[in-house]
Amino acid sequence: MRQGEKLPSENDSPILGWVVPFSGFLQRNGDYHGIVQTWHCLYRSFGSDRLKIMVPRPWNADVEQIAEMIHRCRNGEKPEIITIGYSWGGMAAVNFSKELAKRELHVRRMILTDPVHRHKWFYGRWRAFLPEVKIHIPDNVRNFTGFRQKRDWPTGHDLKFSPKTQARTYDTIPYDHATMDDAYEFQQACVHHVRDLHDEIEEKR
């Protein structure tokens, strides 16, 4: 960029969609785990100037700041948002959706695999090991797709939905917790729903 030139205007190409994935406990982006594999596929296949496929955020990411960034990039638009999460990253996706709700933004679809409850305070983290704890999906989530295994511990927690959310859950996936982000069914659901959003956005060009 030459001196005196301005940055490109978002009016030329507004951001109409976001995909925000969250990885699980102990996962690092330097490892090619299931969430990174899924992101890599989505980024290569569907990322564009109008559909932003964010690099996976960790389970303990500052979800308030991510939501605020998306809010500030709206430029008069109400973008379609898909959020993805695994294990404690599933709880991060839930908390992220709550932050979006504060900014009057909805979630087009939430896709979780073996989501595990995480209390906001350190001394409440033991609740992750209680099977009776439920994860409440915010009512700004329009559609939900979830996968859970029951072969080992920890297992994804039960979910509670608002009547405003159309939900489909699958509880018989034959994987253990450590490989639920590698599950074919989960990864294909991510590809299917992001492709639908991509095609819808491209039709508006």
Side-chain angles (χ1 to χ4, degrees):
M1 180 177 293
R2 291 189 292 269
Q3 185 174 4
E5 287 185 335
K6 294 182 179 180
L7 290 170
S9 171
E10 286 295 335
N11 291 324
D12 299 331
S13 185
I15 300 174
L16 301 180
W18 294 84
V19 178
V20 186
F22 294 94
S23 54
F25 184 59
L26 296 182
Q27 288 187 322
R28 300 174 300 175
N29 283 359
D31 301 325
Y32 203 60
H33 52 71
I35 293 296
V36 168
Q37 293 172 30
T38 303
W39 162 79
H40 194 193
C41 174
L42 299 176
Y43 179 83
R44 288 182 304 166
S45 303
F46 309 117
S48 72
D49 56 338
R50 295 193 174 193
L51 177 57
K52 301 303 182 183
I53 316 291
M54 295 182 70
V55 172
R57 269 35 184 182
W59 57 270
N60 58 351
D62 188 336
V63 294
E64 180 181 3
Q65 290 301 308
I66 299 171
E68 183 63 17
M69 181 194 72
I70 291 174
H71 170 67
R72 289 180 178 273
C73 290
R74 287 172 60 176
N75 196 37
E77 301 286 343
K78 276 209 168 182
E80 298 285 352
I81 301 167
I82 295 176
T83 186
I84 298 166
Y86 159 61
S87 189
W88 269 1
M91 197 68 203
V94 169
N95 292 330
F96 168 61
S97 300
K98 292 178 181 177
E99 291 297 331
L100 291 174
K102 295 176 184 178
R103 294 157 176 82
E104 299 182 350
L105 292 170
H106 72 267
V107 175
R108 175 190 179 100
R109 183 168 297 272
M110 178 183 286
I111 308 171
L112 303 185
T113 184
D114 233 24
V116 176
H117 184 275
R118 183 176 71 91
H119 198 276
K120 64 180 180 179
W121 303 115
F122 175 79
Y123 293 109
R125 300 285 166 80
W126 57 270
R127 289 170 59 85
F129 308 117
L130 297 180
E132 62 269 22
V133 172
K134 291 187 177 182
I135 296 174
H136 294 248
I137 304 301
D139 61 10
N140 67 319
V141 176
R142 291 185 175 176
N143 300 282
F144 178 92
T145 304
F147 302 90
R148 189 173 69 164
Q149 58 81 31
K150 297 183 179 180
R151 296 177 65 177
D152 74 346
W153 172 88
T155 184
H157 281 103
D158 288 336
L159 306 169
K160 186 173 182 180
F161 298 98
S162 160
K164 297 179 181 180
T165 303
Q166 295 187 0
R168 295 190 69 177
T169 59
Y170 304 89
D171 289 344
T172 57
I173 303 300
Y175 303 87
D176 56 25
H177 180 74
T179 58
M180 279 295 285
D181 59 326
D182 297 304
Y184 174 83
E185 296 86 347
F186 161 69
Q187 293 184 346
Q188 287 301 302
C190 294
V191 170
H192 170 73
H193 292 297
V194 174
R195 179 190 289 120
D196 282 352
L197 176 56
H198 168 269
D199 293 349
E200 184 179 307
I201 288 174
E202 287 302 305
E203 289 177 0
K204 296 179 180 179
R205 286 191 185 271

